[in-house]
Tab-separated table of all heavy atoms in Angstrom:
chain	number	residue	atom	x	y	z
C	228	GLN	N	-8.688	-18.760	-10.834
C	228	GLN	CA	-10.046	-19.164	-10.203
C	228	GLN	C	-11.207	-18.469	-10.760
C	228	GLN	O	-12.351	-18.925	-10.616
C	228	GLN	CB	-9.941	-18.744	-8.672
C	228	GLN	CG	-8.935	-19.575	-7.855
C	228	GLN	CD	-8.664	-19.047	-6.497
C	228	GLN	OE1	-9.177	-17.964	-6.104
C	228	GLN	NE2	-7.772	-19.718	-5.835
C	229	GLY	N	-10.916	-17.401	-11.504
C	229	GLY	CA	-11.986	-16.614	-12.275
C	229	GLY	C	-12.733	-15.664	-11.372
C	229	GLY	O	-13.842	-15.114	-11.772
C	230	VAL	N	-12.148	-15.089	-10.373
C	230	VAL	CA	-12.761	-14.163	-9.486
C	230	VAL	C	-11.662	-13.253	-8.962
C	230	VAL	O	-10.896	-13.553	-8.109
C	230	VAL	CB	-13.551	-14.718	-8.215
C	230	VAL	CG1	-14.152	-13.524	-7.398
C	230	VAL	CG2	-14.613	-15.699	-8.743
C	231	TYR	N	-11.503	-11.981	-9.582
C	231	TYR	CA	-10.487	-11.144	-9.234
C	231	TYR	C	-10.678	-9.697	-9.516
C	231	TYR	O	-11.768	-9.409	-10.035
C	231	TYR	CB	-9.115	-11.668	-10.029
C	231	TYR	CG	-9.320	-11.583	-11.476
C	231	TYR	CD1	-8.755	-10.436	-12.244
C	231	TYR	CD2	-9.863	-12.623	-12.246
C	231	TYR	CE1	-8.911	-10.413	-13.610
C	231	TYR	CE2	-10.013	-12.496	-13.571
C	231	TYR	CZ	-9.498	-11.389	-14.275
C	231	TYR	OH	-9.672	-11.450	-15.696
C	232	ASP	N	-9.857	-8.823	-9.164
C	232	ASP	CA	-9.923	-7.421	-9.405
C	232	ASP	C	-8.508	-6.916	-9.966
C	232	ASP	O	-7.760	-7.649	-10.375
C	232	ASP	CB	-10.441	-6.645	-8.297
C	232	ASP	CG	-9.591	-6.843	-6.955
C	232	ASP	OD1	-8.376	-7.241	-7.117
C	232	ASP	OD2	-10.058	-6.539	-5.858
C	233	GLN	N	-8.461	-5.530	-9.820
C	233	GLN	CA	-7.218	-4.963	-10.395
C	233	GLN	C	-5.971	-5.359	-9.694
C	233	GLN	O	-4.820	-5.210	-10.288
C	233	GLN	CB	-7.347	-3.430	-10.405
C	233	GLN	CG	-7.064	-2.701	-9.058
C	233	GLN	CD	-8.213	-2.684	-8.142
C	233	GLN	OE1	-9.175	-3.616	-8.350
C	233	GLN	NE2	-8.299	-1.794	-7.256
C	234	LYS	N	-5.994	-5.862	-8.561
C	234	LYS	CA	-4.834	-6.240	-7.753
C	234	LYS	C	-4.122	-7.480	-8.431
C	234	LYS	O	-3.034	-7.752	-8.027
C	234	LYS	CB	-5.188	-6.621	-6.306
C	234	LYS	CG	-5.494	-5.294	-5.502
C	234	LYS	CD	-5.710	-5.620	-3.984
C	234	LYS	CE	-6.999	-6.398	-3.705
C	234	LYS	NZ	-8.154	-5.390	-3.913
C	235	CYS	N	-4.691	-8.107	-9.371
C	235	CYS	CA	-4.038	-9.160	-10.208
C	235	CYS	C	-2.776	-8.667	-10.748
C	235	CYS	O	-1.778	-9.321	-11.084
C	235	CYS	CB	-4.902	-9.820	-11.195
C	235	CYS	SG	-5.406	-8.692	-12.584
C	236	ASP	N	-2.756	-7.360	-11.170
C	236	ASP	CA	-1.559	-6.681	-11.821
C	236	ASP	C	-0.412	-6.717	-10.736
C	236	ASP	O	0.783	-6.819	-11.135
C	236	ASP	CB	-1.874	-5.320	-12.273
C	236	ASP	CG	-2.662	-5.335	-13.570
C	236	ASP	OD1	-2.674	-6.290	-14.207
C	236	ASP	OD2	-3.230	-4.251	-13.815
C	237	LEU	N	-0.701	-6.510	-9.487
C	237	LEU	CA	0.342	-6.383	-8.458
C	237	LEU	C	1.039	-7.784	-8.313
C	237	LEU	O	2.166	-7.838	-8.075
C	237	LEU	CB	-0.239	-5.888	-7.142
C	237	LEU	CG	-0.930	-4.480	-7.269
C	237	LEU	CD1	-1.344	-4.102	-5.803
C	237	LEU	CD2	-0.056	-3.494	-7.895
C	238	TRP	N	0.223	-8.849	-8.325
C	238	TRP	CA	0.819	-10.211	-8.315
C	238	TRP	C	1.864	-10.328	-9.412
C	238	TRP	O	3.000	-10.811	-9.281
C	238	TRP	CB	-0.218	-11.257	-8.384
C	238	TRP	CG	0.334	-12.676	-8.364
C	238	TRP	CD1	0.814	-13.239	-9.545
C	238	TRP	CD2	0.421	-13.567	-7.279
C	238	TRP	NE1	1.200	-14.667	-9.215
C	238	TRP	CE2	1.004	-14.715	-7.899
C	238	TRP	CE3	0.062	-13.575	-6.092
C	238	TRP	CZ2	1.194	-15.931	-7.132
C	238	TRP	CZ3	0.314	-14.690	-5.300
C	238	TRP	CH2	0.849	-15.874	-5.803
C	239	SER	N	1.421	-9.927	-10.697
C	239	SER	CA	2.309	-10.110	-11.788
C	239	SER	C	3.572	-9.263	-11.650
C	239	SER	O	4.612	-9.687	-12.026
C	239	SER	CB	1.504	-9.668	-13.109
C	239	SER	OG	0.353	-10.439	-13.287
C	240	ILE	N	3.505	-8.159	-11.031
C	240	ILE	CA	4.621	-7.254	-10.820
C	240	ILE	C	5.633	-7.991	-9.825
C	240	ILE	O	6.834	-7.907	-10.072
C	240	ILE	CB	4.243	-5.900	-10.396
C	240	ILE	CG1	3.504	-5.014	-11.328
C	240	ILE	CG2	5.529	-5.032	-9.868
C	240	ILE	CD1	2.976	-3.726	-10.771
C	241	GLY	N	5.027	-8.655	-8.828
C	241	GLY	CA	5.875	-9.399	-7.953
C	241	GLY	C	6.607	-10.538	-8.629
C	241	GLY	O	7.828	-10.734	-8.372
C	242	VAL	N	5.974	-11.170	-9.619
C	242	VAL	CA	6.642	-12.187	-10.465
C	242	VAL	C	7.763	-11.594	-11.249
C	242	VAL	O	8.902	-12.217	-11.285
C	242	VAL	CB	5.589	-13.015	-11.324
C	242	VAL	CG1	6.289	-13.891	-12.297
C	242	VAL	CG2	4.646	-13.746	-10.455
C	243	VAL	N	7.471	-10.488	-11.851
C	243	VAL	CA	8.437	-9.791	-12.604
C	243	VAL	C	9.723	-9.431	-11.766
C	243	VAL	O	10.812	-9.602	-12.268
C	243	VAL	CB	7.933	-8.612	-13.362
C	243	VAL	CG1	9.062	-7.759	-14.010
C	243	VAL	CG2	6.959	-8.979	-14.420
Side-chain angles (χ1 to χ4, degrees):
Q228 295 166 0
V230 182
Y231 61 97
D232 57 20
Q233 79 276 21
K234 289 188 284 294
C235 67
D236 284 342
L237 302 185
W238 174 282
S239 299
I240 294 173
V242 171
V243 170

